[in-house]
Amino acid sequence: MIWLKPSWQPVLAILFCLAALALGAMSKPEAAALAQPTATTIYPYMGTKVLILGLLLIVALVSAVRLAPVVEAAVLFIGAHIAAWLLIKGIAGFEGTALAPYFLALAAAWLLAWRCVALLSSLRSSASGVRTALRLIIPAIFGAWILIIWEAVTRGAGIPFILLPPPSAIGARIANSLPILGSDVRQTIFKAVLIGYIVGNLAGFVVAILADRVPFLRRGLLPIGNMVSALPIIGVAPIMVMWFGFDWPSKAAVVIIMTFFPMLVNTVAGLAASGHMERDLMRTYASGYWPTLLKLRLPAAMPFIFNALKINSTLALIGAIVAEFFGTPVVGMGFRISTEVGRMNIDMVWAEIAVAALVGSVFYGVVALVERAVTFWHPSVRGG
């Protein structure tokens, strides 16, 4: 039996499929049709139930055969996603009617996708292109299945859209509200977030250099910085609105406060990261403060500085959106979220959240790419 190598995910998927077949109907309309065979009842999965469960069984059995990992992963990927698509397509229009076999089939498809991701994660390749592709494909499959389970459960269990709309409804709202979302992104991201992020980080960096140069400033400012960084946004935002008005400058001021002190603390810590041997070597070359700072201490501090930049990339977005709850023109992501919640347009709220998450991820990714280019010498980058 050396040609067999069953893993626990496909075995459990087979058991779920067999249980689904034994239980019978996958939905309440199907159960009603089976109870009255003469009635002309329209029900989901009229011609696809056997196809879905049969496909899952075949893919699980193929996965138990000793195949090349790439071939097995491809079979699992295709089978799991086709079965999930058929499940979601079949329940559309019959929301809230799913029975236990529906959820068992969904769990079986998820287990096969889990096995696919596990196989891809175990692959090792010397080609940089393959490694890059795997780093993109694995989280993409993982994220896609979060959305698939979300969609299938909300539709199958009949969760009211006002409580938790499925991803398809959120995607439709995004597609139909692009002008509104675009104006909100311009107001919140390209004005409040970017300006506040740049000013806050630059100010924190400059003050960190001054604090490093002037000892009494470092000893007096850093404890205050730790205290100020603990201030709640909901306490600072209304004050900034009173000081700077309802437009984007008040939100940028909140972002500046939130990003200033993480940059200050991380930069000061980074400037102290260079070793004594390196500093002694610079002193033997008769280097003063500024040559030592530029050629030794700032390069050594770059991982700390970029750590602050990555932390602030998320803090800036959160601060700007929360600040818009306390006063803003009739535009902005925070304004839209607070307004649409009051109108019970929950799909629009989720659309704003999805756009904010996408923008924040892109923002973080750009900073991470710049970090890799600047700190290519650091062991964490060389090993990554």
Side-chain angles (χ1 to χ4, degrees), residues 83-319:
W85 178 75
L86 290 173
L87 278 170
I88 294 173
K89 184 175 181 294
I91 203 65
F94 298 91
E95 285 80 4
T97 64
L99 297 176
Y102 170 87
F103 295 102
L104 288 172
L106 177 64
W110 169 67
L111 286 168
L112 297 180
W114 183 349
R115 175 61 181 167
C116 173
V117 172
L119 284 171
L120 294 176
S121 300
S122 66
L123 293 178
R124 297 291 181 269
S125 176
S126 58
S128 60
V130 175
R131 293 198 303 270
T132 301
L134 289 174
R135 282 198 296 267
L136 296 175
I137 291 172
I138 292 172
I141 297 175
F142 196 95
W145 270 90
I146 293 176
L147 299 179
I148 289 171
I149 293 174
W150 180 356
E151 180 83 19
V153 170
T154 53
R155 291 191 178 276
I159 298 175
F161 282 19
I162 197 171
L163 296 180
L164 183 64
S168 59
I170 298 171
R173 171 61 77 170
I174 292 174
N176 295 328
S177 306
L178 289 178
I180 296 175
L181 294 171
S183 62
D184 291 341
V185 168
R186 283 193 299 271
Q187 175 72 15
T188 303
I189 305 299
F190 292 104
K191 292 182 179 179
V193 171
L194 280 182
I195 294 176
Y197 180 83
I198 293 170
V199 174
N201 283 308
L202 185 59
F205 178 79
V206 171
V207 174
I209 299 297
L210 293 175
D212 180 75
R213 183 63 171 162
V214 183
F216 89 88
L217 188 61
R218 179 173 64 253
R219 294 174 184 174
L221 185 61
L222 287 183
I224 297 175
N226 293 329
M227 180 189 70
V228 174
S229 62
L231 292 177
I233 309 174
I234 58 174
V236 175
I239 298 173
M240 295 298 105
V241 170
M242 292 174 62
W243 286 1
F244 299 102
F246 288 94
D247 211 343
W248 64 265
S250 58
K251 287 69 184 175
V254 173
V255 174
I256 290 170
I257 294 173
M258 294 189 65
T259 57
F260 175 82
F261 289 102
M263 175 57 73
L264 171 64
V265 173
N266 278 274
T267 304
V268 170
L271 291 174
S274 56
H276 293 289
M277 293 182 62
E278 291 86 355
R279 296 185 190 183
D280 292 339
L281 179 62
M282 295 299 292
R283 279 194 288 269
T284 61
Y285 293 148
S287 295
Y289 175 81
W290 293 108
T292 303
L293 178 69
L294 295 175
K295 296 180 180 179
L296 173 63
R297 302 181 67 204
L298 271 182
M302 281 300 163
F304 293 83
I305 294 172
F306 276 102
N307 185 49
L309 289 172
K310 289 189 291 186
I311 292 172
N312 286 340
S313 66
T314 55
L315 286 179
L317 185 60
I318 295 171

